[in-house]
Amino acid sequence: MAVMQLSIPAYHKEIESLCDLTGKAAVDARFTERTIYACQLAIGEACENIINHGYKQEGIGEIELTAESSPGNLILVLRDSAPPFNPAIEPSLPHWQEEDPPVGGLGLIIIHRVMDKVKYQRIKDQNILELRKTEYQDSLPRIKRKLHS
Amino acid sequence: MAVMQLSIPAYHKEIESLCDLTGKAAVDARFTERTIYACQLAIGEACENIINHGYKQEGIGEIELTAESSPGNLILVLRDSAPPFNPAIEPSLPHWQEEDPPVGGLGLIIIHRVMDKVKYQRIKDQNILELRKTEYQDSLPRIKRKLHS
Amino acid sequence: MEITTKEYRRVAVVSVSGRIDTLTSTQFEETINELIEKGHFNLVMDLSEVDFLSSSGLRILVTSRKKVREKGGDVVMANPSQRASDSVEIAGLDKLFMSYPNREEAVGSF
Amino acid sequence: MEITTKEYRRVAVVSVSGRIDTLTSTQFEETINELIEKGHFNLVMDLSEVDFLSSSGLRILVTSRKKVREKGGDVVMANPSQRASDSVEIAGLDKLFMSYPNREEAVGSF
Ligand SMILES: Nc1ncnc2c1ncn2[C@@H]1O[C@H](COP(=O)(O)OP(=O)(O)O)[C@@H](O)[C@H]1O
Ligand SMILES: Nc1ncnc2c1ncn2[C@@H]1O[C@H](COP(=O)(O)OP(=O)(O)O)[C@@H](O)[C@H]1O
């Protein structure tokens, strides 16, 4: 089991480094290329939300990522000190039409579709978001289920 | 100096072998790639004409090519026994417009634009067409002159 | 992110390489909007060199698509990278965008 | 000679490889005529793999161009091989045919 940790100031341009760390940990978990990318994408979405909706502006606060990996398993924990928000509630999937697709709400959809477990806690003025992903060696489907069939 | 010779029955599909022989002789003359192709093109045009306009059909007669090469110089001699025709008379260049380009007469134009000398003789019921091309090592222009500037 | 455009008579191609995320999506959006303002409603997104596409970028694809379809145009994709198409698929938007194996076919589709 | 076609909504692409000469020009002509009969007046000739182009082939390019221009279309070239463009130039026809560096640009030119 390996644990990596990185803390960034809440700037958009810093998000990439947390995606990179996620990538390293996912490689460590022996995930496939596509699953690695999916995890990076989910972390990116969570960070974009923390800056845009949590802190509501750049530069006032930090985001800390702890990545724990073992073969087949990845646990990502994001910590921030923005106002409380619980992203663990699975977004209700709107019945959208081709002519009226969603333009908002994609971030939470992505996080929930990619990760197997999304757990939220508020502890000591901190938002603690735990994202778990499991991929067995015989490469299970990368996404839990399709939204649309 | 090298001399090569090949005789083909007057079929369209046989023309390529005379182009190939021309190519070999032009390589022997140390011509550039583009001049080699230009000579092959000219021989192809002359042969197409011999079959289409001279013999007027495939399979009744032969075409013989003699290729004489030395560095910088190529002499191609085509012999056929179709009715007399003198392709050495340089075609008058029609003043065509963009909206009314020529669809015929391109063969003789190509032969005369590519070759430096086009000489015709009728000897013993044979058309003898001599085509000469010179290209110095310092690569002179491949085409004598432009038709249109 | 690097972004280039190529304008044809009836179609414009937007090629993006690198990351399309909250940091770069404004530039992506501005580029597309400029094309739309010039009257380009048939848009090809060459996403072959995209190595990260977050919801910020997806949102712009969706809104651009809506804008040009109102004008009788469309947004299609040319040769999206695996990552670009994974993002589109994970977000459940894959039904919205026709995808062509190369730019020629995408341009020719209009 | 190998000949393939690709039909888009408003443009058709004819790709030829090998020799276009008196032996093969009929097939070349027939392929083009079929496209014209189907209503394709915007034609792209992909001559990138042509290694011999005689006056028989040039004649077909010129007559096809005439036919489609009468219908408001045109014949353009995509990435002609050196030999194909040498033939066109030697015959003095280079002014007639717009030439584009690749198929995409040729398709996009219409
Ligand atoms: N970290 C967060 N802090 C506060 N609000 C959030 C946070 N993450 C998400 N939200 C809220 O959830 C909504 C949906 O988020 P998301 O799915 O990422 O879509 P979008 O960012 O396009 O609105 C946001 O509009 C915002 O109101
Ligand atoms: N070998 C030949 N024998 C008889 N007539 C010829 C020959 N070569 C050319 N011609 C005549 O010269 C004309 C022009 O020839 P050319 O320039 O090759 O154009 P095209 O073959 O398209 O008519 C021909 O139409 C034909 O009347």
Side-chain angles (χ1 to χ4, degrees):
Chain A
M1 200 196 74
V3 180
M4 292 185 275
Q5 197 171 54
L6 184 66
S7 193
I8 59 159
Y11 287 99
H12 292 309
K13 67 176 168 47
E14 299 289 338
I15 294 176
E16 192 172 350
S17 60
L18 294 189
C19 292
D20 289 347
L21 189 82
T22 303
K24 278 186 198 130
V27 166
D28 222 55
R30 301 188 197 156
F31 286 177
T32 58
E33 275 285 334
R34 293 178 71 182
T35 303
I36 294 167
Y37 174 66
C39 293
Q40 292 179 306
L41 187 65
I43 279 295
E45 296 298 339
C47 293
E48 289 193 3
N49 279 348
I50 291 168
I51 298 176
N52 293 331
H53 303 302
Y55 292 124
K56 289 205 166 65
Q57 52 179 290
E58 290 190 295
I60 52 154
E62 302 220 320
I63 306 174
E64 185 192 82
L65 172 64
T66 310
E68 197 182 305
S69 52
S70 56
N73 285 295
L74 181 65
I75 305 171
L76 301 165
V77 181
L78 276 177
R79 286 185 174 79
D80 69 78
S81 36
F85 178 80
N86 180 1
I89 299 157
E90 194 150 351
S92 71
L93 297 176
H95 282 282
W96 51 270
Q97 301 291 312
E98 225 199 85
E99 280 322 303
D100 186 28
V103 291
L106 296 175
L108 290 180
I109 289 175
I110 288 172
I111 293 168
H112 282 270
R113 285 197 74 195
V114 169
M115 304 311 291
D116 295 317
K117 201 173 160 193
V118 180
K119 189 176 144 194
Y120 172 76
Q121 286 175 286
R122 177 82 185 178
I123 299 175
K124 289 192 204 155
D125 291 343
Q126 281 208 318
N127 295 305
I128 302 175
L129 182 64
E130 187 182 306
L131 306 172
R132 283 177 184 254
K133 181 73 181 172
T134 301
E135 188 185 54
Y136 299 102
Q137 243 44 325
D138 287 341
S139 186
L140 287 181
R142 170 183 48 94
I143 300 162
K144 270 185 295 181
R145 54 183 161 46
K146 289 219 104 188
L147 276 178
H148 316 281
S149 61
Chain B
M1 201 196 75
V3 180
M4 293 186 275
Q5 197 171 54
L6 184 67
S7 194
I8 60 160
Y11 286 99
H12 292 311
K13 66 176 166 52
E14 300 288 339
I15 294 176
E16 192 172 350
S17 61
L18 295 189
C19 292
D20 289 347
L21 188 80
T22 303
K24 278 185 198 130
V27 166
D28 222 54
R30 301 186 196 158
F31 286 176
T32 57
E33 276 284 334
R34 293 177 71 182
T35 303
I36 294 167
Y37 173 67
C39 294
Q40 292 179 306
L41 186 66
I43 279 296
E45 296 298 337
C47 293
E48 289 193 2
N49 279 348
I50 291 167
I51 298 175
N52 293 331
H53 303 302
Y55 292 124
K56 290 204 165 66
Q57 51 179 292
E58 289 190 296
I60 51 153
E62 303 222 320
I63 306 174
E64 185 193 82
L65 172 63
T66 310
E68 196 182 305
S69 53
S70 57
N73 285 295
L74 180 65
I75 305 171
L76 302 164
V77 180
L78 277 176
R79 285 185 175 78
D80 68 79
S81 36
F85 178 79
N86 180 0
I89 299 158
E90 194 150 352
S92 70
L93 298 176
H95 283 279
W96 51 272
Q97 300 292 312
E98 225 200 85
E99 280 322 302
D100 187 28
V103 290
L106 295 175
L108 291 181
I109 290 175
I110 289 172
I111 294 169
H112 283 270
R113 285 198 73 194
V114 169
M115 305 311 290
D116 294 318
K117 201 173 161 192
V118 180
K119 191 177 143 192
Y120 173 75
Q121 285 175 285
R122 177 81 185 178
I123 298 174
K124 288 189 204 155
D125 290 344
Q126 281 210 317
N127 295 306
I128 303 174
L129 181 64
E130 185 182 307
L131 306 171
R132 283 177 183 252
K133 181 73 180 171
T134 301
E135 189 184 52
Y136 298 102
Q137 243 43 325
D138 287 343
S139 185
L140 286 181
R142 172 181 49 93
I143 300 162
K144 270 185 297 180
R145 53 184 162 46
K146 291 217 102 186
L147 276 178
H148 316 282
S149 62
Chain C
M1 186 185 73
E2 297 258 306
I3 190 160
T4 57
T5 60
K6 177 116 199 164
E7 294 173 61
Y8 294 116
R9 270 213 238 174
R10 309 176 56 263
V11 183
V13 183
V14 180
S15 323
V16 194
S17 64
R19 287 175 75 92
I20 314 182
D21 59 12
T22 181
L23 187 65
T24 56
S25 58
T26 313
Q27 195 197 336
F28 184 45
E29 186 169 28
E30 279 166 5
T31 304
I32 294 172
N33 284 345
E34 276 167 30
L35 289 171
I36 294 175
E37 272 155 36
K38 278 191 190 172
H40 283 293
F41 307 132
N42 296 333
L43 299 178
V44 172
M45 299 291 153
D46 176 350
L47 304 181
S48 57
E49 300 297 323
V50 167
D51 45 53
F52 196 89
L53 174 56
S54 86
S55 64
S56 306
L58 294 168
R59 192 176 305 129
I60 286 154
L61 288 171
V62 171
T63 51
S64 308
R65 176 178 176 277
K66 204 171 171 180
K67 279 187 210 166
V68 297
R69 282 171 80 93
E70 276 164 12
K71 303 284 191 178
D74 204 358
V75 172
V76 305
M77 295 187 184
N79 189 25
S81 64
Q82 183 69 64
R83 288 167 163 218
S85 36
D86 279 356
S87 284
V88 172
E89 194 199 321
I90 292 170
L93 302 173
D94 42 320
K95 291 271 161 59
L96 297 188
F97 299 98
M98 278 294 289
S99 181
Y100 296 91
N102 56 54
R103 292 166 54 117
E104 175 194 333
E105 295 197 24
V107 168
S109 74
F110 286 108
Chain D
M1 187 185 72
E2 297 258 305
I3 191 160
T4 57
T5 59
K6 177 117 200 165
E7 294 173 61
Y8 293 116
R9 270 214 237 172
R10 308 176 56 261
V11 183
V13 183
V14 180
S15 321
V16 194
S17 65
R19 286 176 76 94
I20 313 180
D21 57 13
T22 182
L23 187 65
T24 57
S25 57
T26 313
Q27 195 197 336
F28 183 45
E29 188 169 26
E30 279 165 5
T31 305
I32 294 172
N33 284 345
E34 276 167 30
L35 290 171
I36 295 175
E37 274 156 35
K38 278 190 191 173
H40 282 294
F41 307 132
N42 296 331
L43 300 178
V44 172
M45 299 291 153
D46 176 350
L47 304 181
S48 56
E49 300 297 324
V50 166
D51 46 54
F52 196 89
L53 174 56
S54 86
S55 65
S56 307
L58 294 170
R59 193 176 304 128
I60 286 153
L61 287 173
V62 171
T63 51
S64 307
R65 177 179 175 275
K66 204 170 172 181
K67 279 186 208 164
V68 297
R69 282 172 80 94
E70 277 164 11
K71 303 282 192 178
D74 204 358
V75 173
V76 304
M77 296 188 182
N79 190 25
S81 65
Q82 183 68 62
R83 287 167 166 220
S85 36
D86 278 357
S87 284
V88 173
E89 193 198 323
I90 291 170
L93 303 173
D94 41 322
K95 292 271 163 58
L96 297 188
F97 299 98
M98 277 295 289
S99 181
Y100 295 92
N102 55 54
R103 293 165 55 118
E104 175 195 332
E105 295 198 23
V107 169
S109 74
F110 287 107

